[in-house]
Amino acid sequence: MPDREDKLTRTTVRTITDLARLAGVSPGTVSRALAGKSLVNTQTRQKIEALAREHGFRPNQMASGLRRQKTGVIGVVIPLGHDIRQQISDSFFMTLLGFLADELTTNGYDLMLRRVVPDTDPDWLDRFIGSGMIDGVIVIGQSDQFERIEEVADGYRPMVVWGNHTEGQRHCVVGTDNRLGGRMAAERLIAAGAQRIAFLGDTGPMEFAARFAGAQDVAARMGLPPVLPLVTHLSPDRASEEIAAHLAQHGRELDGIFAATDTLAALCLTELRAQGLAVPGDVRVVGFDDLPIARQTVPALTTVRQDIAAGAHGLVDLLLRRLAGESTESLVLPPELVLRETA
Amino acid sequence: MPDREDKLTRTTVRTITDLARLAGVSPGTVSRALAGKSLVNTQTRQKIEALAREHGFRPNQMASGLRRQKTGVIGVVIPLGHDIRQQISDSFFMTLLGFLADELTTNGYDLMLRRVVPDTDPDWLDRFIGSGMIDGVIVIGQSDQFERIEEVADGYRPMVVWGNHTEGQRHCVVGTDNRLGGRMAAERLIAAGAQRIAFLGDTGPMEFAARFAGAQDVAARMGLPPVLPLVTHLSPDRASEEIAAHLAQHGRELDGIFAATDTLAALCLTELRAQGLAVPGDVRVVGFDDLPIARQTVPALTTVRQDIAAGAHGLVDLLLRRLAGESTESLVLPPELVLRETA
DNA sequence: AGGAATCTTGCAATCGTTTGCAAAAGACTC
DNA sequence: GAGTCTTTTGCAAACGATTGCAAGATTCCT
């Protein structure tokens, strides 16, 4: 009889109650011991810890989360806007995600990742928040959901968004000063000899719109003709053709291109070469992001750097502060011009 | 607008009990109605559904998970081996992750991401599995944890691993036939005129070791000198210098380089140019993965393609089958040689 | 109309952990 | 040795949703 029970409990110590039985104490005591509370006698605690280790026991996070009303999980959601295929392998977002994972882990949180399509699921944000699975949420990219995010922000504190900062907005955002970055890019193009500048990329998303606006600022200030928007998708496959078409039409009249991202810039370099335009001789090019690829294009890409690690750190830091009840300001990071060979 | 009114009256309907009170029924009935069970009267169900929608009610996933003993969450864990900084922005893994997120979402699962450092946390896998937060786990990359994974596989069914398949292994794995890929790379190098081949990258990780072995197979079969391993880290910053050093020492005696990944291949191209070696004139180069960058190097990179989308699909498919109780075989995907300009 | 068969619903236990409260057990004081 | 403090512990009620069981309500039959 005792044999069988012994064997049984040995194999099946899944709950805190099992462990309590083994240790000859009550479940409450086990819970406190494992939580490291000071109320437990040191000997008792050590015995319990030893048993727990021996049986590889881990408390059920679901139950714990339910009771404590906190899960130790932060939701990270990527809204996929118009250009759904875009972010699927977008280096920038993915790198940010990697850093976020590290930052969150460091702070003892797990990361729940969700990619949503707002067009087919208007309820994406509330649904995630209301699931009860996450203590807070980080939104990567505003996409075309600025309004939705604003609404939610009014009633839900632990949310931080990566994206563009707009005067007077209500949600807490972390992001690069895109407009300033756009200005830096245009100024560099002009300093390198450009007079007739184009912006390559979709001007719809807020971040890109701000970059474009920054370039416009400079063109206007310098008395140059307005920056010409060359709209493209972001996914490499579609963008290539679009860029080729744009260049075929406007290539000869341009002498400077500001690309919305390094990825587009790299494609653009390839196309420029294909069309026999020299960089930076005929056309100067500046990118945005400073992804690893910027160093490897030929010629190497001059670009506006976003500090991704700092961004991730800021996102997590602000979110934790908000979880702790603080109310926080948005964080705008300074862009940095990285001079290489294309401008 | 009734919409706005609704939002204001969205006061305190957080639990199923709140909703039950509103609807004048018992919590049990609400639960059944929302779960779409057939036992509920159609009128009652519709009333409940309407109320739920109106108040934006969503059942608490934690409570539901606890009771049902399943969470609807799949864990995805990336073990960081020796070269910790490696995967942080590794395009391959990140792209795979993106596809995984889509596949899991399509199947109604959420994704919980965890990056772990086995060296400092030997218990990484059991801890994740034992947390009670996930219904199954996908391990991205075996790193140097083959043995640990094997042990766990004996007692835990719902686990699938991305990595290399080894004869007789016990855990279910999805991955490219790396050895075959290595053979294809070497064959191509030789066909393009190479005789003295080097392998660029760490030969420690199983996947890379298999690629290296494949190249060796071919060299031996063709009666060529053995493939020379040029060991490097994977992170671009460290790899650059290491590649430069390797090339300075061996560059002149080589006429073919098989890089373990496209990222390394791209860096290698840059270094080759810096050292005045022509590609593919003096040295032929073949990469592995077929990441977007392969199309944009100069000259464009010949590489061995891994079908990432198919990989993600396979991982999820097998995992779901295992969750359903099936026992599954491993899935080995065929690599594909993509001819471009470097070999 | 009486009774069986079928639908709906409510009740209450359950999932595993946490925690307020109070009892028990020592430790200490005078 | 009685009384007052501290530690330690156990008890039992949460947390919010699900579900077996049985009761109540309908329908259908003869």
Side-chain angles (χ1 to χ4, degrees), chain A residues 244 247 252 267-278:
Chain A
L247 289 181
R252 305 286 155 182
L267 290 170
C268 184
L269 289 178
T270 307
E271 269 319 312
L272 285 168
R273 182 174 28 250
Q275 304 206 4
L277 290 164

Side-chain angles (χ1 to χ4, degrees), chain A residues 14-16 31 37 60 67:
Chain A
R14 312 181 327 91
T15 79
I16 223 170
S31 174
K37 306 240 176 173
N60 183 306
R67 174 61 227 242

Side-chain angles (χ1 to χ4, degrees), chain B residues 26 60 73 75 158 178 253 284 292 324:
Chain B
S26 79
N60 183 306
V73 180
N178 289 292
E253 23 176 308
R284 292 118 203 107

Side-chain angles (χ1 to χ4, degrees), chain B residues 110-190:
Chain B
D110 266 312
L111 185 164
M112 188 144 131
L113 177 64
R114 205 179 263 202
R115 327 173 92 235
V116 298
V117 183
D119 288 347
T120 65
D121 176 16
D123 211 24
W124 60 279
L125 190 45
D126 310 78
R127 187 208 301 279
F128 202 16
I129 291 171
S131 72
M133 288 278 273
I134 57 178
D135 291 342
V137 66
I138 293 175
V139 181
I140 302 194
Q142 289 145 325
S143 185
D144 50 2
Q145 299 291 306
F146 190 88
E147 269 314 317
R148 193 77 268 279
I149 297 173
E150 283 284 273
E151 284 169 27
V152 170
D154 294 334
Y156 183 75
R157 312 304 326 296
M159 173 173 77
V160 182
V161 179
W162 173 270
N164 197 67
H165 181 76
T166 309
E167 199 58 48
Q169 72 176 57
R170 276 125 53 211
H171 66 262
C172 179
V173 74
V174 174
T176 303
D177 188 335
N178 289 292
R179 188 144 186 169
L180 175 55
R183 283 201 281 266
M184 295 166 84
E187 279 164 1
R188 177 61 209 159
L189 286 171
I190 293 167

